[in-house]
C-alpha cells in the first residue's frame, strides 16, 4: 500500500467542550470578513500571471470565448484515457453570442429609433415586458463577461460559463418573441420543435466529449468543426 493512502485518525473527548462558548474566541464581522476575503482573492488572482513566451493548451483569452474558438481539453489525451472536451453545444454557444453581441444591441437601437419617430408597431405592454426581461438577462451576460478583459491573471474558457447561462436565457426569450411577434400562431410550435430538434441533435453529436470518451480521439475527428479546435491534434503546439 502506498504511503499516501494511509490515514491517521484521532479523536479527542473532553466534557468541557460541550459547555464551551466559542463565540467569544471566534468573533466574526460579516462586512469586515467580506472585504478581507475579496481582497485576498484579488491578490491571489493577480499572482496567476500568464507567461507570454509559453503556450499552454488549457489557457485562452476572453475575446475568444463567445465564438468558442479555443475549447479546452480536460484530462489526459491518450487513446485509453477518459477524455473530456469543454465544448458543450456549439450551435447554442454561437447563437447566444450572436444574440448578445449583435442582435440585442441592434434591436434596442431600432426600438429607440421607432419610439422616437412614433412609428413603433409594438404595444406598450409588449415593449415593457421585453425591456423588463432582457435588461436583466443581457445585463447579467455583460457583467459576467466584460470584466475579464480587465483581468491580468490566466484565463480559462470555463470562466465564461456564468455569462453563457444568461446568454442562453436571452436567446430563448428572443426566439419566443420572434415566434410570437412575426410568425403565424399555427407556425409557432412547428418552428420551436425544429429548433429544439436541431439543438438536441447537436448535443447528441458532442455528448461523448461531454460525458467522457475512452477510445481513440481520432474516431471523433468529424466533430472538429473549426481549424482552431485542438480536438484531435493541437495546431498551436510547437514540437
Amino acid at each position: 500500500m502506498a504511503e499516501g493512502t494511509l490515514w491517521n485518525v484521532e479523536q479527542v473527548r473532553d466534557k468541557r467542550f460541550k459547555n464551551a462558548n466559542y463565540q467569544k474566541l471566534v468573533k466574526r464581522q460579516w462586512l469586515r470578513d467580506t472585504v478581507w476575503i475579496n481582497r485576498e482573492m484579488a491578490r491571489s488572482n493577480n499572482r496567476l500571471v500568464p507567461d507570454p513566451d509559453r503556450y499552454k493548451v488549457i489557457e485562452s483569452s476572453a475575446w475568444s470565448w463567445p465564438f468558442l474558438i479555443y475549447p479546452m481539453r480536460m484530462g489526459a489525451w491518450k487513446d485509453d484515457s477518459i477524455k473530456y472536451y469543454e465544448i458543450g453545444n456549439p450551435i447554442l454557444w454561437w447563437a447566444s453570442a450572436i444574440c448578445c453581441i449583435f442582435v440585442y444591441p441592434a434591436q434596442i437601437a431600432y426600438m429607440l429609433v421607432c419610439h422616437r419617430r412614433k412609428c413603433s408597431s409594438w404595444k406598450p405592454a409588449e415593449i415593457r415586458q421585453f425591456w423588463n426581461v432582457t435588461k436583466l438577462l443581457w445585463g447579467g451576460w455583460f457583467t459576467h463577461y466584460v470584466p475579464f478583459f480587465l483581468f491580468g491573471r490566466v484565463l480559462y474558457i470555463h470562466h465564461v460559463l456564468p455569462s453563457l447561462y444568461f446568454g442562453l436565457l436571452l436567446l430563448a426569450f428572443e426566439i419566443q418573441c420572434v415566434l410570437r411577434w412575426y410568425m403565424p400562431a399555427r407556425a409557432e410550435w412547428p418552428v420551436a420543435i425544429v429548433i429544439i430538434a436541431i439543438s438536441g441533435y447537436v448535443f447528441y453529436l458532442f455528448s461523448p466529449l461531454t460525458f467522457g470518451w475512452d477510445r481513440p480521439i481520432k474516431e471523433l475527428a468529424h466533430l472538429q468543426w473549426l481549424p482552431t479546435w485542438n480536438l484531435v491534434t493541437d495546431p498551436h503546439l510547437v514540437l
Side-chain angles (χ1 to χ4, degrees):
M1 183 179 294
E3 183 179 355
T5 61
L6 297 179
W7 290 74
N8 183 28
V9 181
E10 296 182 357
Q11 186 178 20
V12 179
R13 295 183 180 182
D14 194 323
K15 295 180 179 180
R16 294 175 297 177
F17 288 168
K18 296 182 179 179
N19 300 323
N21 186 3
Y22 296 101
Q23 191 173 6
K24 296 180 180 180
L25 302 175
V26 189
K27 189 176 181 181
R28 314 302 297 175
Q29 295 183 6
W30 178 83
L31 181 59
R32 183 191 66 184
D33 293 345
T34 301
V35 173
W36 175 81
I37 194 170
N38 279 276
R39 183 184 62 189
E40 293 302 315
M41 289 173 59
R43 288 179 178 177
S44 62
N45 279 330
N46 289 334
R47 296 189 188 103
L48 302 174
V49 180
D51 185 355
D53 298 326
R54 182 182 178 186
Y55 169 70
K56 293 184 178 180
V57 67
I58 61 175
E59 295 179 8
S60 57
S61 301
W63 65 266
S64 67
W65 295 342
F67 294 101
L68 202 60
I69 297 177
Y70 302 116
M72 188 174 77
R73 293 181 179 181
M74 303 180 67
W77 222 245
K78 299 179 181 179
D79 289 345
D80 57 347
S81 62
I82 301 178
K83 293 168 282 294
Y84 300 92
Y85 202 50
E86 198 165 358
I87 193 170
N89 189 325
I91 295 297
L92 293 181
W93 198 299
W94 293 329
S96 65
I98 294 173
C99 178
C100 294
I101 298 175
F102 302 109
V103 175
Y104 181 72
Q107 192 174 19
I108 291 297
Y110 178 73
M111 285 184 167
L112 290 175
V113 171
C114 291
H115 178 72
R116 188 176 183 85
R117 296 181 178 180
K118 300 185 183 300
C119 60
S120 176
S121 59
W122 297 285
K123 300 177 181 179
E126 292 177 338
I127 297 178
R128 185 163 50 251
Q129 181 193 20
F130 179 82
W131 173 245
N132 289 337
V133 174
T134 58
K135 69 181 180 182
L136 172 64
L137 299 180
W138 190 85
W141 171 84
F142 183 88
T143 55
H144 284 80
Y145 171 59
V146 173
F148 283 105
F149 286 94
L150 306 177
F151 282 24
R153 58 153 291 169
V154 293
L155 299 175
Y156 309 101
I157 194 172
H158 54 252
H159 286 145
V160 79
L161 293 182
S163 68
L164 179 63
Y165 300 147
F166 285 97
L168 292 174
L169 292 174
L170 179 61
L171 174 64
F173 184 74
E174 287 279 14
I175 292 175
Q176 180 186 21
C177 291
V178 169
L179 293 179
R180 289 184 176 180
W181 293 349
Y182 305 110
M183 301 290 293
R186 61 182 181 181
E188 290 183 12
W189 272 108
V191 174
I193 291 175
V194 170
I195 295 174
I196 294 172
I198 294 175
S199 302
Y201 177 68
V202 175
F203 174 80
Y204 169 75
L205 284 179
F206 286 86
S207 60
L209 299 173
T210 300
F211 298 107
W213 182 256
D214 58 355
R215 296 164 60 180
I217 196 64
K218 293 181 179 179
E219 297 181 15
L220 299 180
H222 60 281
L223 297 179
Q224 183 156 337
W225 289 3
L226 293 182
T228 55
W229 293 359
N230 57 354
L231 179 60
V232 179
T233 58
D234 194 344
H236 310 286
L237 186 62
V238 178
L239 299 178

